[in-house]
Amino acid sequence: DAGVIQSPRHEVTEMGQEVTLRCKPISGHNSLFWYRQTMMRGLELLIYFNNNVPIDDSGMPEDRFSAKMPNASFSTLKIQPSEPRDSAVYFCASKPGLAADTQYFGPGTRLTVL
Amino acid sequence: DAKTTQPTSMDCAEGRAANLPCNHSTISGNEYVYWYRQIHSQGPQYIIHGLKNNETNEMASLIITEDRKSSTLILPHATLRDTAVYYCIVRAANFGNEKLTFGTGTRLTIIP
């Protein structure tokens, strides 16, 4: 099993630029989650999808953040425009379905906004 | 979901059992106790979960008190690779309640 794949692993950008983070869930998993981890706030759920449909985006910090899941094997988290306070590690996780117990996390993308 | 309280940090000698406590005194009847861990620079990893009975798998054992107000995660023979932050999470098993609320966790250091 390849596990959850995230790209890029590291991203450094300048304030105001658009940033796109990518996630490929485990094959056959129907639920996908985006988290953000910072020292100040810990690990926070931003949004999750089931069968490619966004179910709960109440954790998305503001309109600069958007997430899509065009098909079962790909999701993006976009920040436009980026700000220094968006610097964090962004994790994607997937699980077989909403009834499943275990979320499988990817290795994360470390984002630095200068 | 109920709040959990964990010690900030713990040390354990390599080869010994590591016992990580968690307090969840406001837990409701339909809420499960989950444990995840996060090794440095990696994503969180599921360990085990339970409702009221003790559970054991290849990674760990979970002991839940009879009143369910606290639990203990046991790593029976800790190795250096078990050094990580361990999160105790309480979550209701309702459809649509997918939020895992990660607190600050316990930073476990295994000492050679």
Side-chain angles (χ1 to χ4, degrees), chain B residues 12-72:
Chain B
C12 178
E14 187 178 17
R16 303 296 295 270
N19 296 277
L20 292 91
C22 180
N23 181 285
H24 32 79
S25 57
T26 61
I27 194 169
S28 301
N30 69 337
E31 290 181 317
Y32 286 73
V33 180
Y34 287 78
W35 284 83
Y36 278 74
R37 73 179 182 183
Q38 188 172 22
I39 296 170
H40 183 62
S41 297
Q42 297 184 20
Q45 176 190 24
Y46 167 83
I47 301 173
I48 199 168
H49 75 283
L51 183 62
K52 53 183 174 183
N53 296 324
N54 298 337
E55 302 287 344
T56 295
N57 63 21
E58 65 279 3
M59 290 182 68
S61 294
L62 173 60
I63 308 299
I64 302 174
T65 58
E66 194 168 339
D67 64 8
R68 304 209 321 123
K69 293 184 177 183
S70 65
S71 60
T72 301

Side-chain angles (χ1 to χ4, degrees), chain A residues 74-93:
Chain A
F74 183 65
S75 177
T76 60
L77 178 67
K78 186 175 293 187
I79 308 173
Q80 165 64 17
S82 59
E83 297 182 3
R85 60 191 168 125
D86 302 329
S87 296
V89 181
Y90 291 81
F91 290 102
C92 177

Side-chain angles (χ1 to χ4, degrees), chain A residues 37 48 95 101-103 105, chain B residues 34 36 38 43-44 46 96 98:
Chain A
Q37 186 171 36
Y48 72 90
K95 66 176 184 173
D101 292 308
T102 306
Q103 293 185 22
F105 283 76
Chain B
Y34 287 78
Y36 278 74
Q38 188 172 22
Y46 167 83
E98 297 307 315

Side-chain angles (χ1 to χ4, degrees), chain A residues 9 33 35 37 43 45 48 50 56 58 91 95 98-107 110, chain B residues 32 34 36 38 41-46 49 87 91 93 95-103:
Chain A
R9 293 294 311 278
F33 304 78
Y35 289 83
Q37 186 171 36
L43 199 61
L45 177 65
Y48 72 90
N50 189 52
D56 184 352
S58 59
F91 290 102
K95 66 176 184 173
L98 288 182
D101 292 308
T102 306
Q103 293 185 22
Y104 297 83
F105 283 76
R110 181 174 295 277
Chain B
Y32 286 73
Y34 287 78
Y36 278 74
Q38 188 172 22
S41 297
Q42 297 184 20
Q45 176 190 24
Y46 167 83
H49 75 283
Y87 298 97
R91 173 185 162 249
F95 181 84
N97 177 28
E98 297 307 315
K99 184 168 288 190
L100 288 177
T101 302
F102 288 81

Side-chain angles (χ1 to χ4, degrees), chain B residues 4 17 29 43-44 46 65 71 77-78 81 89 92 110:
Chain B
T4 62
Y46 167 83
T65 58
S71 60
H77 305 286
R81 289 175 295 181
I89 301 163
I110 306 302

